[in-house]
C-alpha cells in the first residue's frame, strides 16, 4: 500500500469528514439540511487496491442559498481530504435541472384547495404535515406558478402509521384502495380550480 495511493481510504475519509459540514458548518437552527452518500463503488478484488473509487450522494435543503453553500463546502472538503491522502478528486455537481428542488406549497392555493381535498376523504382526514426532505420532480412545474403537492395515505387498513414501512422499503405494502382516494382528490382539485364546481 505504501507504493501507491489508496482511494478506498480516501473515499472513506471524505464520507466521514463531510458529515461535519452539516453538524459544524451550517446553521441548521435556521433550516435543516441533509448530506448522504448512498453509493460507493470501487475495486474488483478484495486484495487489490483499486485505481479509483466513485461516490454518489444526495443533498437536501429548504433554502437554495444553503444548498449552494453546501455544495461549495463539500467540494472544498473532498479536495482537501484527497490532497492530504496524496489523491486527486474530480467532482460533478448535477446541472440545475437535475438537482431536486425544494417542494413548496403556495399557502394561498393550499388554503383554497383544502376543501377540495376534503371532498375525497372522510371528515378530519386532511392533515397538514411538517416540512420534510422528500425529493420530487414536481417543483419543476411550480418554479413560475403556484403549486400544491399532497400525499395520499396508502398504508394497509388498521396499520399503525408510526410503524408502517415507508415507500422505499422492501417491506412496503400499499392499500390499493388509496388509488380511488387519489383519483377523487385530483378530480375535485381540477374541477374546483377551474371553476366548474363551486366551493
Amino acid at each position: 500500500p505504501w507504493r501507491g495511493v489508496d482511494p478506498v481510504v480516501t473515499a472513506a475519509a471524505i464520507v466521514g469528514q463531510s458529515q461535519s459540514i452539516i453538524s459544524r458548518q451550517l446553521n441548521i437552527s435556521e433550516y435543516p439540511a441533509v448530506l448522504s452518500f448512498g453509493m460507493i463503488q470501487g475495486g474488483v478484488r478484495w486484495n487489490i487496491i483499486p485505481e479509483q473509487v466513485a461516490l454518489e450522494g444526495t443533498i437536501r435543503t429548504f433554502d437554495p442559498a444553503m444548498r449552494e453553500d453546501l455544495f461549495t463546502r463539500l467540494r472544498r472538503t473532498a479536495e482537501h481530504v484527497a490532497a492530504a491522502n496524496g489523491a486527486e478528486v474530480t467532482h460533478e455537481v448535477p446541472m440545475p435541472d437535475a438537482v431536486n428542488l425544494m417542494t413548496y406549497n403556495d399557502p394561498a392555493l393550499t388554503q383554497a384547495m383544502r376543501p377540495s381535498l376534503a371532498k375525497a376523504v372522510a371528515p378530519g382526514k386532511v392533515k397538514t404535515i411538517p416540512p420534510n426532505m422528500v425529493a420530487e420532480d414536481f417543483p419543476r412545474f411550480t418554479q413560475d406558478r403556484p403549486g400544491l403537492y399532497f400525499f395520499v395515505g396508502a398504508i394497509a387498513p388498521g396499520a399503525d402509521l408510526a410503524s408502517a414501512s415507508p415507500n422505499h422499503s422492501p417491506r412496503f405494502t400499499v392499500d390499493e384502495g388509496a388509488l380511488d382516494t387519489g383519483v377523487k382528490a385530483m378530480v375535485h382539485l381540477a374541477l374546483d380550480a377551474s371553476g366548474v364546481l363551486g366551493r
Side-chain angles (χ1 to χ4, degrees):
W2 52 86
R3 294 177 63 184
V5 173
D6 192 335
V8 174
V9 171
T10 304
I14 289 171
V15 171
Q17 188 60 40
S18 67
Q19 299 310 300
S20 69
I21 297 172
I22 303 295
S23 66
R24 293 295 181 268
Q25 299 178 38
L26 297 181
N27 184 358
I28 55 173
S29 66
E30 290 182 357
Y31 299 105
V34 170
L35 168 58
S36 295
F37 288 97
M39 189 181 82
I40 302 176
Q41 291 184 330
V44 295
R45 186 172 162 81
W46 60 271
N47 64 342
I48 299 173
I49 295 173
E51 183 178 347
Q52 62 183 17
V53 171
L55 301 170
E56 288 190 26
T58 184
I59 287 175
R60 311 276 174 91
T61 67
F62 291 136
D63 179 65
M66 179 183 271
R67 183 176 63 237
E68 291 307 313
D69 185 32
L70 212 166
F71 277 134
T72 299
R73 292 174 186 273
L74 178 58
R75 281 191 293 265
R76 182 182 67 205
T77 298
E79 289 168 358
H80 284 83
V81 169
N85 283 275
E88 294 180 359
V89 64
T90 58
H91 43 77
E92 188 176 312
V93 176
M95 298 300 290
D97 59 350
V99 175
N100 288 310
L101 301 172
M102 180 181 72
T103 303
Y104 174 77
N105 282 355
D106 179 80
L109 179 64
T110 302
Q111 188 64 29
M113 294 290 99
R114 191 179 178 100
S116 302
L117 292 172
K119 294 175 187 177
V121 295
K125 291 295 185 179
V126 176
K127 302 186 184 310
T128 301
I129 62 172
N132 63 64
M133 295 282 183
V134 299
E136 269 300 326
D137 295 329
F138 181 75
R140 305 263 170 248
F141 299 111
T142 60
Q143 286 183 282
D144 58 357
R145 64 185 54 87
L148 166 63
Y149 188 89
F150 62 95
F151 292 103
V152 177
I155 63 170
D160 177 23
L161 180 60
S163 60
S165 297
N167 61 341
H168 289 285
S169 166
R171 293 181 295 278
F172 175 67
T173 57
V174 64
D175 172 21
E176 292 187 1
L179 295 171
D180 290 340
T181 302
V183 170
K184 288 177 188 174
M186 293 300 292
V187 168
H188 284 299
L189 286 168
L191 294 175
D192 290 353
S194 65
V196 174
L197 291 178
R199 291 187 182 88

